[in-house]
Amino acid sequence: MDMHGRVITVFGGTGAIGRPLVGALAGRGARVRVAVRDVERAHPLKPLGAVGQIAPVVASITHPDSVRRAVEGADAVVNLVGILAESGRNTFEAIHAQGAATVARAAAEAGASALVHMSALGADDNGKAEYARTKAQGESLVRSAFPTAAIIRPSVVFGPDDKFFNLFAGMTRFSPVLPYFDRGATGSPRFQPVYVGDVVAAMVRLLEEPGLRGRVHELGGPGVYSMKEIMELVARETRRPVRVIRLPFSAARLQALVLGRLPNPLITLDQVALMETDNVLSGTLPGLGDLGIEPQAVEALLPEQLARFRPLHRHVILRKPSR
């Protein structure tokens, strides 16, 4: 699909993945509607395009009428909306399943030629975590409503605004330790972090090439890391005197029981259940390589990303002695 002048509606366009995607689409000449509940959050995106090229519109995937208005006349639709913890009416079922179905049905009714739906690596009808089960349910509902939809399942996404490496790096500023959880016989959870730029490139490719749609793509980086190794990476790149310590999985459940009650919990029982299964590529589905994208390694990009978390150093300025 030639994007120049095309209208593309992006749900979740103000997030850590949505912002670079909106910029990438605008850079290819698309007219981007950023569908958000609070349009004020989308205004900073406007400079990423020409005057009038990026337009915030009010919409919530839990309100079908607003979704229909947001996709009316759109050539393509992208749904990036997802939550890691439930809050009030924003349940996993409402967002990952019914909300995804609402977007897919509206896109089909509007006559959009393409739909890219972001699910998650580990989506599983029989998963231990409700997050995983509702992600799988959402995929099924999306395929039913929009059979040619392209579904992507990224592993943990890292980048300048991620809530993974940045979260742990922020902890080193006030904590002398970085804990990791150990499951016993199966060790600490394993992840295959994927760079946000690669995820964006994959979505752009799927929008551009009709022949690549209608399938599920798993997106992961070139390396697999245990939770322990991730903490060691963070400690090394922040250059802070922190110790990486092992905690039993029972400690994770205990923390989740307490912290899960907070308005913005750091960890919940459902997230603990999610960590019982490794977050790595299955190897049975197409991935970045099938889209012509060479994934970038964590070690190549993390030093620059985490530099802002390093301690400040005194600089000695040497001057030549005056004569």
Side-chain angles (χ1 to χ4, degrees):
M1 180 178 74
D2 179 9
M3 293 192 186
H4 189 78
R6 299 281 185 166
V7 176
I8 301 178
T9 299
V10 179
F11 291 87
T14 58
I17 300 174
R19 289 190 293 272
L21 175 63
V22 169
L25 296 176
R28 284 165 172 75
R31 293 164 54 200
V32 187
R33 292 179 189 160
V34 185
V36 289
R37 289 181 297 174
D38 181 4
V39 293
E40 293 297 324
R41 293 185 59 192
H43 286 320
L45 296 175
K46 288 185 174 182
L48 297 177
V51 175
Q53 188 180 8
I54 298 172
V57 295
V58 178
S60 168
I61 66 171
T62 59
H63 293 85
D65 288 342
S66 71
V67 172
R68 282 192 288 270
R69 288 192 295 270
V71 302
E72 185 178 358
D75 297 290
V77 177
V78 180
N79 181 19
L80 305 175
V81 181
I83 57 175
L84 289 173
E86 297 179 313
S87 177
R89 295 182 180 179
N90 289 331
T91 62
F92 290 132
E93 167 73 18
I95 302 300
H96 296 163
Q98 299 309 318
T102 295
V103 172
R105 283 194 293 265
E109 291 169 3
S113 62
L115 169 65
V116 175
H117 173 74
M118 187 173 75
S119 182
L121 198 60
D124 184 353
D125 288 315
N126 300 311
K128 295 182 179 180
E130 189 176 359
Y131 175 92
R133 295 193 298 272
T134 54
K135 280 290 189 181
Q137 185 182 354
E139 289 184 8
S140 179
L141 292 171
V142 166
R143 281 194 295 266
S144 295
F146 204 115
T148 60
I151 296 174
I152 61 170
R153 293 178 180 172
S155 182
V156 171
V157 180
F158 74 96
D161 301 314
D162 74 51
K163 294 182 180 179
F164 188 70
F165 284 106
N166 287 333
L167 172 64
F168 299 135
M171 290 172 58
T172 66
R173 288 174 166 169
F174 59 84
S175 174
V177 299
L178 280 177
Y180 69 91
F181 302 116
D182 192 287
R183 298 171 299 191
T186 56
S188 62
R190 298 190 306 151
F191 304 89
Q192 197 162 348
V194 58
Y195 178 53
V196 64
D198 294 336
V199 175
V200 167
M203 289 188 283
V204 170
R205 185 95 169 99
L206 290 167
L207 288 170
E208 290 176 331
E209 297 293 337
L212 297 173
R213 301 175 203 148
R215 290 179 286 178
V216 176
H217 287 77
E218 291 184 333
L219 309 184
V224 174
Y225 307 83
S226 68
M227 192 174 182
K228 178 186 178 184
E229 290 170 330
I230 284 173
M231 293 304 182
E232 290 171 342
L233 271 173
V234 170
R236 183 169 71 244
E237 296 304 338
T238 55
R239 300 177 187 174
R240 290 181 179 272
V242 295
R243 290 178 56 221
V244 175
I245 63 170
R246 173 191 174 276
L247 291 179
F249 226 60
S250 57
R253 297 188 184 93
L254 182 60
Q255 285 188 16
L257 280 171
V258 177
L259 299 177
R261 302 175 184 273
L262 298 175
N264 295 301
L266 290 175
I267 189 170
T268 66
L269 285 172
D270 197 72
Q271 289 168 4
V272 173
L274 194 63
M275 286 191 291
E276 291 188 40
T277 303
D278 290 337
N279 197 252
V280 299
L281 303 183
S282 68
T284 61
L285 293 172
L288 289 171
D290 298 279
L291 298 173
I293 300 166
E294 184 177 351
Q296 301 189 65
V298 168
E299 290 88 352
L301 300 172
L302 205 61
E304 181 178 354
Q305 178 180 328
L306 299 188
R308 61 194 174 97
F309 293 99
R310 295 170 185 163
L312 296 177
H313 297 279
R314 294 182 181 274
H315 296 275
V316 178
I317 301 176
L318 300 178
R319 294 189 178 95
K320 292 181 179 180
S322 57
R323 294 182 179 176

